[in-house]
Amino acid sequence: MLNPTLPDQAWYSLRRTLPPWRFQETLEELCRLAPQFKIDEVIVKIDTEEFSHGHPSLEWAAAYQEKLFEVRRRLEELGIVYSLNPWITAGHADRGRDDRDRLPGLECMVGDDGSETHHCACFLSPVWREHTRKLWTIYAQTHPHIMWVEDDIRTFNHEPVRFGCFCPRHMKLFSERVGREVSREELVRAILQPGRPHPWRAEYLRMQQEVMIETVAFLAKVTHEVSPETCMGLMSSGPRQHCVEGRDWKRLAEALADHRPLYSRPPMANYCEESMRGFYYSQDSIKLTRHALPEGVIEQTECESVPFTRFSKSVTFTFLEIAVSMAYGSSGVTLNLFDHAGTPMQDEIHYGTMLAEKKPFLNELARVANRPGRYRGVKLLHRDEFSMRKVLPAGASYQDLAEDGFPMMSALESMGIPTTYEESGILALSGQSARMLSDEELREWLTRGVLLDGVAAGILLERGFGAEIGLKRIAPPAVRVQLPWVVSAEEFHNVEFGGAPRKYLTATLPFLSADGRICPLEAAEGAQVISSWVDPDTNRTSPAMIAFENAGGGRVIVHGMEYQSCCGVAFCHPFRRKQLQSAIRYLGKGSEAMLFQCDGAYPLAWRRDMADFTVIGCFNLNLDAWPECSFDLGWQGAVPRVRVLTASGNWEECSGIEMTQSAGRLRITCRNRVEHPFPLVLKLE
């Protein structure tokens, strides 16, 4: 068996459908082009997308099995790894399929609103279990390197069901757990109860957690009874969203791995090309999913294109998606670049040409990113139990159970401030993420550096930490029409934080509407006011952002707005960049080994420190070229030697580099153009 975990290589795994009615033709082309494209592994997709039969019949699978044996043999002759990806497990969405007649007794998912699917199976359905056992036995007999479990292994997004499962079997199981009969309507009301969470919510989510752990263990057991050497792979849908099903990532991963290496396929944004700003989600999904899973899981990101061709996603955009994966430490990428209708890959050979041409650059990027080291940035928080503990307002929907935090991440990253889930001296809390920390954890963090949005600050004040965060009081978030005075803008008047008198930024947040919610606050004695809300006559009505150093030596920044509702295009501005970068520098006391990208709109910057060198880099997520690019980072020791990673995969001296060092900070300016088609990557030694 070939080993696809080479630490010095950007591993290409091509996901390819070979439809039975054009099998030989597509197989021959695959064997001809895959080596040209520098493909390392082929993941054969089974009964896919438009031509899916729903839950394939055993007769269909047995007939296709012979073709899989041929695929494996031909790929091994080429030195290419063979893996398998059944397109459905329980089913993604009905898509007009109805499996109830073909699988008599099949129990399908039921949503929180009573909606029912006709194809997507309930994970507790005995009929589905037995059919899947036989079906996956057929698949496992081909001995794939990896058997991929699709991201339909979840309880949400099974159209027409939005959130499940509330079928009779699940309701019976839940009723047994609480000791009395409970209806779906009663349970959903309890789950969405405003205020303090009803104990049934946590009980139901723990039940779902256990069902899903048992389900993936079942899939691994079926596979390994036939092919014990096969590894399992997991496609997922983002840890913040998986909170709504109570997922315990580490226990689920251990159950699915079944004592073998486990592969992870974190989702990336931009299934089709919309905006490069989708890469903010992509890099966060990589880092957050890695953080949620146990150490040692092998990561291959998902590079999707729907509905395929360059009309869906350009070759340049596809390259950048792969480069983001490698820059943030993935071992490889799974490439879904060609359709499932039997169309020749030759028709869109430009993707393959790009893969071959860019491989040297991506190999070296992957090699350095997979060295032992640490990504630096402002720490964000994730807790699996978030949905169990979230306090909901009246009228909340099921989606409101999802974990807060994405807007805070996006706000910082778009201002050139990297974020991380690894160790850091600075923590950013927004929304109800503050509820996930114990008093002891909060006390420890409040001796360091903490950035709080208005909602998180209100929670800390409620818990008795007002003296530590510089607050007397803060109002709950409210839209502007609910405030006692008109709010027109935020004035950035504190010169120590990039401000000046009469430096205004709109309070119409997050874009051309006024539904961003503001939290009026009153600062405690000793707090600095960084910015203020002003009325139409520019009178300051309330502090907007404050800075405070407490008795324990910790520093806190409170920004009096709800980031969940305020972060968007109107939030972003050069004024905001100076404000937030100054705030993070203040919180780190100038010594935190942070990195700030200093120029251009919508950067995506990263820093990774290794034992003997540091790599910094930046993607320009804007169509405008930057005439130069600057980095401002904490740095101890001598001014480093700097080299740039070229398209050929080599580190070369760069004549356009200028550096200045002062008070533990190093400013690096690259006076070469940085354009969106290619990232700037620098090695500091």
Side-chain angles (χ1 to χ4, degrees), residues 97-203:
R97 274 69 166 178
D98 189 335
D99 287 302
R100 295 173 299 174
D101 290 338
R102 192 158 48 81
L103 296 175
L106 176 69
E107 294 161 275
C108 293
M109 286 204 178
V110 176
D112 63 303
D113 58 357
S115 57
E116 299 182 37
T117 69
H118 297 159
H119 153 66
C120 301
C122 168
F123 293 110
L124 293 175
S125 171
V127 170
W128 173 77
R129 291 286 180 112
E130 181 60 17
H131 181 76
T132 300
R133 183 183 66 79
K134 294 176 180 177
L135 186 66
W136 278 50
T137 295
I138 293 171
Y139 294 154
Q141 286 169 347
T142 68
H143 296 275
H145 173 64
I146 304 171
M147 181 80 87
W148 281 99
V149 180
E150 272 291 329
D151 66 337
D152 62 340
I153 199 79
R154 62 186 182 221
T155 64
F156 51 88
N157 288 359
H158 294 279
E159 191 180 0
V161 167
R162 184 73 176 89
F163 298 98
C165 181
F166 296 88
C167 70
R169 192 175 290 272
H170 269 84
M171 292 310 306
K172 181 176 184 295
L173 181 60
F174 182 79
S175 296
E176 291 171 354
R177 291 173 72 104
V178 298
R180 74 171 180 85
E181 187 173 345
V182 180
S183 68
R184 172 185 57 80
E185 294 84 354
E186 186 181 10
L187 175 56
V188 172
R189 281 197 301 272
I191 290 172
L192 300 182
Q193 171 182 286
R196 184 177 179 179
H198 193 290
W200 282 3
R201 187 203 296 175
E203 185 64 28

Side-chain angles (χ1 to χ4, degrees), residues 213-229:
I213 290 170
E214 190 276 333
T215 298
V216 299
F218 156 73
L219 294 171
K221 182 175 182 293
V222 169
T223 302
H224 290 155
E225 281 180 347
V226 177
S227 181
E229 76 279 10

Side-chain angles (χ1 to χ4, degrees), residues 595-610:
L595 174 147
F596 307 100
Q597 192 280 344
C598 303
D599 303 296
Y602 294 112
L604 176 58
W606 77 94
R607 170 178 181 167
R608 183 169 174 82
D609 291 342
M610 276 68 76

Side-chain angles (χ1 to χ4, degrees), residues 215-327:
T215 298
V216 299
F218 156 73
L219 294 171
K221 182 175 182 293
V222 169
T223 302
H224 290 155
E225 281 180 347
V226 177
S227 181
E229 76 279 10
T230 292
C231 298
M232 304 300 292
L234 175 66
M235 168 62 182
S236 54
S237 304
R240 291 192 181 92
Q241 189 62 33
H242 279 293
C243 284
V244 305
E245 65 177 6
R247 174 170 290 190
D248 183 325
W249 281 83
K250 290 179 171 59
R251 287 178 59 210
L252 183 135
E254 290 167 1
L256 181 59
D258 192 26
H259 308 293
R260 294 282 299 154
L262 179 66
Y263 287 73
S264 167
R265 194 165 86 227
M268 302 181 79
N270 298 107
Y271 270 41
C272 59
E273 186 169 334
E274 293 171 336
S275 167
M276 287 185 291
R277 297 169 204 168
F279 292 142
Y280 290 127
Y281 173 91
S282 297
Q283 60 84 33
D284 182 68
S285 176
I286 294 168
K287 294 185 292 190
L288 178 52
T289 307
R290 182 185 301 153
H291 170 74
L293 285 165
E295 288 188 15
V297 172
I298 303 162
E299 185 179 276
Q300 297 180 329
T301 60
E302 179 192 50
C303 181
E304 271 280 8
S305 180
V306 176
F308 306 101
T309 81
R310 284 164 292 160
F311 283 97
S312 173
K313 187 179 287 187
S314 66
V315 175
T316 296
F317 196 100
T318 303
F319 159 68
L320 290 172
E321 197 163 23
I322 301 170
V324 166
S325 301
M326 298 303 108

Side-chain angles (χ1 to χ4, degrees), residues 369-431:
N370 277 280
R371 288 275 301 273
R374 180 155 67 101
Y375 286 97
R376 310 306 291 259
V378 175
K379 182 176 177 62
L380 303 174
L381 197 68
H382 164 74
R383 295 291 165 88
D384 290 352
E385 67 272 18
F386 184 92
S387 295
M388 297 182 186
R389 299 165 62 182
K390 188 174 187 179
V391 174
L392 295 177
S397 69
Y398 214 100
Q399 177 58 40
D400 291 326
L401 288 171
E403 186 176 40
D404 298 338
F406 178 83
M408 173 66 85
M409 176 281 298
S410 183
L412 293 172
E413 292 281 354
S414 59
M415 296 296 97
I417 303 168
T419 58
T420 184
Y421 295 90
E422 301 181 39
E423 181 56 36
S424 174
I426 302 172
L427 174 68
L429 295 173
S430 64

Side-chain angles (χ1 to χ4, degrees), residues 481-513:
V481 295
Q482 297 173 336
L483 297 175
W485 20 256
V486 175
V487 172
S488 295
E490 183 178 356
E491 183 183 7
F492 298 80
H493 50 72
N494 191 315
V495 295
E496 294 182 19
F497 291 84
R502 295 195 174 278
K503 193 173 182 178
Y504 302 111
L505 180 59
T506 180
T508 303
L509 300 168
F511 38 80
L512 189 59
S513 66

